[in-house]
Amino acid sequence: MIDFDREGPVWVATINRPDKANSLTHEMLVALAEFMEDAQAARAVILTGTGKVFSAGADLDEARAGLAVSDIWERLSGAIAALPGLSICALNGTLAGGAMGMALACDLRICVPGGKFFYPVMKLGFLPQPSDPARMATLIGPARSKLILMGGQKITAQEALTFGLVDRIVPAEELMQSARDIVADTVAATPEIATGIKAMCAPPETPAEMP
C-alpha cells in the first residue's frame, strides 16, 4: 500500500491506497517511519500519493481502535523533520487529518490546484499530534492555525498558497517532475553545503521561560 523507491540520491515514497482515499493504517505508518529513518543516506526525499487524495488521515477502523492517538505519527513526522537532505511533500490532492503532520514536517510542500486542507481533530474529540500545531504556526501563524485546528475550516489550494501552507501550485501532470526539478540543485551540490544551508534556514529556538 506504499511504494518505495530507494534508487539513486532521490528517495520517493508513494502512498498507494486510492480505493480508501490513501487512509493510513498502523502498518503503513511504521513502514513510512522506517523509510524516513533509513533516508539519512538520501540527498533528497519526495513524499506523494496516488489518485485524487494525498491522504484522508487515519484508517477509520484503526482510528477507532487507538491509531488516532498512537505515537507512530510523531515518530514519522520526527523522522521527516530530521532528514539531512531536502524533503518535499508533493500533494496529489486533498490532505486531511493526521496526515497533515508528515506534510508539515517536510521542508517544502507543492500541490495540485484542486487540493484541499483540513484537520478536523477537535471535532473528532482528539488533540492534534504534539508537533503539528507548532509546525503549522511556524508556517502560517497562530491565528490561521487556529482557523484550521479550532475553526475546522477547509482551506483551498489557493488559500494554502496565500497562507504559506504550500509553496507552489502545479498542474497534476507536472507534480512529480516539479518536485524533482526543485531537488535537482540540492542533489548536485556538495552534501555538506546543502545540509549546512538547511541548518541555517532552521527557525531559531524559542528561549526558555525565565523561572
Side-chain angles (χ1 to χ4, degrees):
M1 289 184 282
I2 301 178
D3 300 326
F4 296 114
D5 180 1
R6 294 177 170 87
E7 294 295 325
V10 181
W11 289 22
V12 181
T14 305
I15 304 171
N16 191 6
R17 199 189 183 198
D19 57 317
K20 296 290 186 180
N22 285 340
S23 59
L24 298 158
T25 64
H26 185 268
E27 181 181 1
M28 293 167 69
L29 289 164
V30 169
L32 278 167
E34 290 175 346
F35 174 84
M36 296 301 176
E37 288 163 354
D38 290 343
Q40 294 289 318
R43 302 293 307 283
V45 173
I46 300 172
L47 174 61
T48 191
T50 56
K52 296 185 177 180
V53 175
F54 172 74
S55 177
D59 176 88
L60 287 178
D61 290 338
E62 293 203 20
R64 295 187 190 103
L67 183 59
V69 293
S70 170
D71 61 4
I72 187 59
W73 302 94
E74 280 290 292
R75 177 184 168 190
L76 172 55
S77 64
I80 294 171
L83 289 170
L86 187 62
S87 57
I88 296 183
C89 192
L91 295 156
N92 55 293
T94 293
L95 169 64
M100 186 79 75
M102 68 180 82
L104 293 171
C106 287
D107 296 315
L108 300 171
R109 287 147 296 280
I110 62 176
C111 75
V112 298
K116 292 183 174 61
F117 304 81
F118 58 104
Y119 198 160
V121 62
M122 189 176 71
K123 182 179 180 180
L124 298 173
F126 301 109
L127 286 170
Q129 295 303 315
S131 297
D132 292 355
R135 288 194 177 112
M136 186 182 292
T138 297
L139 291 171
I140 67 175
R144 287 169 171 170
S145 297
K146 292 169 190 171
L147 182 70
I148 295 171
L149 294 171
M150 300 183 74
Q153 297 301 294
K154 287 186 179 180
I155 305 300
T156 65
Q158 188 57 54
E159 286 176 312
L161 181 65
T162 301
F163 285 6
L165 189 60
V166 300
D167 303 291
R168 185 170 289 174
I169 297 173
V170 298
E173 64 273 15
E174 299 175 14
L175 184 68
M176 285 304 293
Q177 188 57 53
S178 294
R180 290 185 180 277
D181 288 346
I182 291 170
V183 302
D185 278 2
T186 295
V187 171
T190 303
E192 293 77 13
I193 297 296
T195 56
I197 290 174
K198 180 167 179 173
M200 293 169 74
C201 291
E205 295 287 337
T206 302
E209 292 186 6
M210 296 295 292

